[in-house]
Amino acid sequence: MTRNSLGSMGQVILGFRSLIIKLALFFLFAALLAWALGGTLFPRPEVIEFESILFGNHRWYWKVSVGGREPGQGRVIWQFMKSGDDDESPAVVGDTAWVDGAGPVVVGESLYYGALASRNLNEFWRIERIDETLEVIEEMLMPDRLAVERQLARLSEGLSLQDMETILAQRSRVLDPPDESADEEAEP
């Protein structure tokens, strides 16, 4: 080897050494900044538990998990939870990981909640009812979140649930009212 090729090889090694030092300093300062701001460079999955409601001597609530190390990392997963006494650990209601949730609402001897399920890119909302046996005994498909929220509000006011056909018929009357409108009646 010639002296000139050894010199250029030394420059490459010095370049790599400089790059490694700069990367180490970058990560050190990034970690210090994240720590100073109250975070971390590698965040852990975040878990949020919503306000619970008491039904059948159990607490019922939504638990939302963000992140994770499994495939689909960064996904938001909603789970409807049931917990009893302090000795009993919380349990997931059903076997579905939901995409979104609404409720719960207690009406008489039943608990209702709404959830968005996703199966093979087909998303659908539904309201589920739990009775005194603490099991899901009824599922009702809903067109969207608006319908779920309206039906849960109806239940809270002591009204009954409406079926899909009634919901869609009312919606079409609101969006496309008949020709006889209240404005015509108001004219003298």
Side-chain angles (χ1 to χ4, degrees):
M1 289 195 149
T2 66
R3 186 167 177 84
N4 193 15
S5 66
L6 287 176
S8 63
M9 190 68 126
Q11 287 180 346
V12 170
I13 292 172
L14 285 174
F16 278 127
R17 186 184 81 171
S18 175
L19 179 64
I20 290 171
I21 290 171
K22 287 179 182 179
L23 284 174
L25 287 173
F26 172 78
F27 281 106
L28 174 70
F29 286 121
L32 286 173
L33 178 63
W35 173 75
L37 296 176
T40 178
L41 277 182
F42 306 104
R44 296 175 303 277
E46 197 66 36
V47 176
I48 301 168
E49 292 182 358
F50 286 84
E51 185 177 330
S52 64
I53 192 167
L54 189 63
F55 174 73
N57 294 327
H58 288 79
R59 287 184 327 113
W60 303 80
Y61 59 95
W62 283 106
K63 176 179 146 185
V64 180
S65 305
V66 180
R69 298 191 184 275
E70 65 276 349
Q73 184 173 357
R75 281 186 14 194
V76 176
I77 298 172
W78 289 66
Q79 295 175 311
F80 195 60
M81 306 295 291
K82 171 182 81 168
S83 67
D85 302 332
D86 293 333
D87 300 338
E88 183 182 340
S89 62
V92 177
V93 177
D95 59 353
T96 305
W98 305 101
V99 178
D100 201 353
V105 174
V106 174
V107 179
E109 298 296 319
S110 297
L111 177 128
Y112 295 86
Y113 66 95
L116 174 62
S118 180
R119 293 187 185 148
N120 302 328
L121 300 176
N122 295 327
E123 294 184 343
F124 57 93
W125 279 92
R126 66 183 180 203
I127 292 179
E128 294 190 348
R129 181 168 75 99
I130 296 173
D131 69 352
E132 60 274 349
T133 64
L134 305 180
E135 298 294 326
V136 175
I137 61 164
E138 186 177 12
E139 299 175 355
M140 294 142 282
L141 289 178
M142 294 286 137
D144 52 27
R145 182 181 189 107
L146 175 63
V148 169
E149 295 289 351
R150 285 188 61 225
Q151 296 309 309
L152 292 176
R154 285 178 58 84
L155 289 168
S156 295
E157 294 298 319
L159 301 170
S160 63
L161 280 175
Q162 296 172 320
D163 61 0
M164 179 93 73
E165 184 178 306
T166 306
I167 293 168
L168 294 176
Q170 286 181 348
R171 186 172 294 170
S172 67
R173 281 195 303 259
V174 169
L175 295 176
D176 189 22
D179 291 336
E180 314 124 19
S181 66
D183 294 336
E184 293 174 2
E185 294 175 12
E187 293 178 14

